C-alpha cells in the first residue's frame, strides 16, 4: 500500500526533474566582431582566448604566408573592455643552424597563481614539432624568452588546460607519428612550483585515430575528454581520479568533420561544445563551412544551441571557448584563414 501511494509521486518528481535538467539554456545579447579589420598576414589560424582580468580579454593565433611556411609566427591582440589592440608579432619562427621552423597552435592560459602562459609548438610539421612556452607576470605586457619543453612533452596541443588543484595544470596533448601519421592522445600535467612535467597515457585499445582533446569537468574528480578523430565522430575518455588515469576510448554520436573542437563546463551538469557538425568530405576542409554551439547535460547526448556559421562554402574552424567572470561566453575561431572572428553571448540557464 505504501509503495502504491508513493510510486506515482516518485514518477511525477522524476519527470519534473528530467524536464528541468534537459531544458536548453537561452542565448541572448549575441555580439560579433573581428579581432582585426585588415589582415596582418596573408593567412591566420588556430586562435586561443583568455580572460586576463574582468573585462580584459587576450587572443593569440598563428599567422604568415600559409600554415607551415617558414614565416609563420604567433600574433597577439588584447581587449581591455573596449576594442581590440593592433596585433603584434610576439613569437617569430625559430632560426636554427639547419633550418627556419614555423610556429603552431598557441594556447593562452592564466593560472590561479596569476601566471599567464602562452604555450605553442615549433617545427616543420605536426609530426616533428616540439613544445615551447612563454610566461608573463604582468598580464602580457612583457613576456619571458621562449622556454622549450622537455623531450617528449608537447604541452596543451590545441585547447586550454584545466587546473585540477592550485598550481597543477592538466593539459590535453597528442602526437602524429612521422612514419604512418598515426594519431594518438595522451595527457600531460605541469606542476608550476616544481616546474616539472609528467606524461599520462590514455587507453585506446580500439586504436582510434585521435588528437586535440578538450576537457569537461563533471564533478569532484570526474573529468571527460572529447577528441577530434578521423572517424567522422568525436571520441571520448573518462577519468574518475582528477586526470591521473583514463578509461578506454569510446566513439560518441557527435558528428565532426575531422576538425578541432573546444568545450566548457558551465556547471557540473551543463556543458557547451563548439563543433563542425558535418562528416568529412573529399578534402580536409570539407565540412568546415558549418560551425555550431551544442549543449549537453551529461557530455554524451548533445543538441544544437545555435549556428555560428552555416554557409554553402568557406572554412570556419578551430574554435576556442571560455566563460568569463561575468558569466558571458566568448568564442574565437578561424574565418576563411583571413580573419579571427569573436562571438560573445549570455547564457540563461
Amino acid at each position: 500500500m505504501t509503495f502504491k501511494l508513493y510510486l506515482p509521486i516518485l514518477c511525477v518528481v522524476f519527470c519534473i526533474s528530467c524536464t528541468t535538467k534537459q531544458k536548453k539554456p537561452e542565448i541572448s545579447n549575441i555580439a560579433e566582431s573581428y579581432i582585426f579589420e585588415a589582415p596582418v598576414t596573408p593567412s591566420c589560424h588556430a586562435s586561443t582566448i583568455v580572460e586576463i582580468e574582468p573585462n580584459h580579454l587576450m587572443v593569440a593565433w598563428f599567422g604568415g604566408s600559409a600554415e607551415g611556411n617558414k614565416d609563420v609566427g604567433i600574433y597577439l591582440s588584447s581587449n581591455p573592455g573596449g576594442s581590440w589592440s593592433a596585433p603584434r608579432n610576439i613569437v617569430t619562427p625559430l632560426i636554427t643552424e639547419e633550418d627556419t621552423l614555423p610556429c603552431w597552435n598557441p594556447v593562452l592560459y592564466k593560472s590561479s597563481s596569476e601566471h599567464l602562459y602562452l604555450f605553442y609548438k615549433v617545427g616543420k610539421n605536426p609530426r616533428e614539432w616540439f613544445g615551447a612556452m612563454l610566461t608573463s607576470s604582468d598580464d602580457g605586457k612583457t613576456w619571458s624568452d621562449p622556454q622549450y619543453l622537455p623531450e617528449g612533452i608537447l604541452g596543451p596541443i590545441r585547447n586550454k588546460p584545466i587546473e585540477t588543484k592550485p598550481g597543477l595544470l592538466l593539459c590535453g596533448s597528442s602526437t602524429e607519428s612521422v612514419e604512418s601519421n598515426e594519431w594518438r592522445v595522451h595527457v600531460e600535467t605541469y606542476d608550476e612550483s616544481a616546474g616539472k612535467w609528467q606524461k599520462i597515457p590514455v587507453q585506446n585499445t580500439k586504436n582510434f585515430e585521435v588528437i586535440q582533446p578538450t576537457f569537461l569537468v563533471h564533478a569532484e574528480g570526474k573529468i571527460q575528454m572529447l577528441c577530434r578523430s578521423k572517424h567522422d565522430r568525436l571520441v571520448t575518455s573518462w577519468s574518475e581520479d582528477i586526470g591521473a588515469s583514463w578509461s578506454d576510448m569510446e566513439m560518441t554520436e557527435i558528428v565532426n568533420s575531422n576538425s578541432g573542437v573546444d568545450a566548457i563546463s558551465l556547471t557540473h551538469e551543463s556543458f557547451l561544445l563548439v563543433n563542425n557538425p558535418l562528416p568529412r568530405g573529399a578534402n580536409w576542409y570539407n565540412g568546415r563551412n558549418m560551425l555550431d554551439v551544442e549543449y549537453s547535460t551529461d557530455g554524451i547526448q548533445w543538441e544544437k544551441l545555435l549556428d555560428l556559421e552555416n554557409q554553402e562554402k568557406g572554412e570556419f574552424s578551430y574554435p576556442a571557448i571560455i566563460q568569463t567572470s561575468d558569466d558571458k561566453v566568448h568564442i574565437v575561431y578561424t574565418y576563411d584563414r583571413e580573419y579571427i572572428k569573436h562571438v560573445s553571448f549570455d547564457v540563461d540557464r
Side-chain angles (χ1 to χ4, degrees), residues 297-316:
T297 59
D298 59 9
I300 300 171
Q301 301 296 323
W302 294 82
E303 57 182 327
K304 180 179 292 193
L305 203 54
L306 77 155
D307 279 326
L308 294 170
E309 304 288 346
N310 189 348
Q311 302 189 32
E312 185 175 344
K313 60 182 179 178
E315 184 194 349
F316 316 108

Side-chain angles (χ1 to χ4, degrees), residues 112-124:
S112 60
S113 64
E114 298 297 311
H115 284 91
L116 178 62
Y117 295 92
L118 175 63
F119 300 99
Y120 63 103
K121 270 61 64 186
V122 180
K124 295 179 181 180

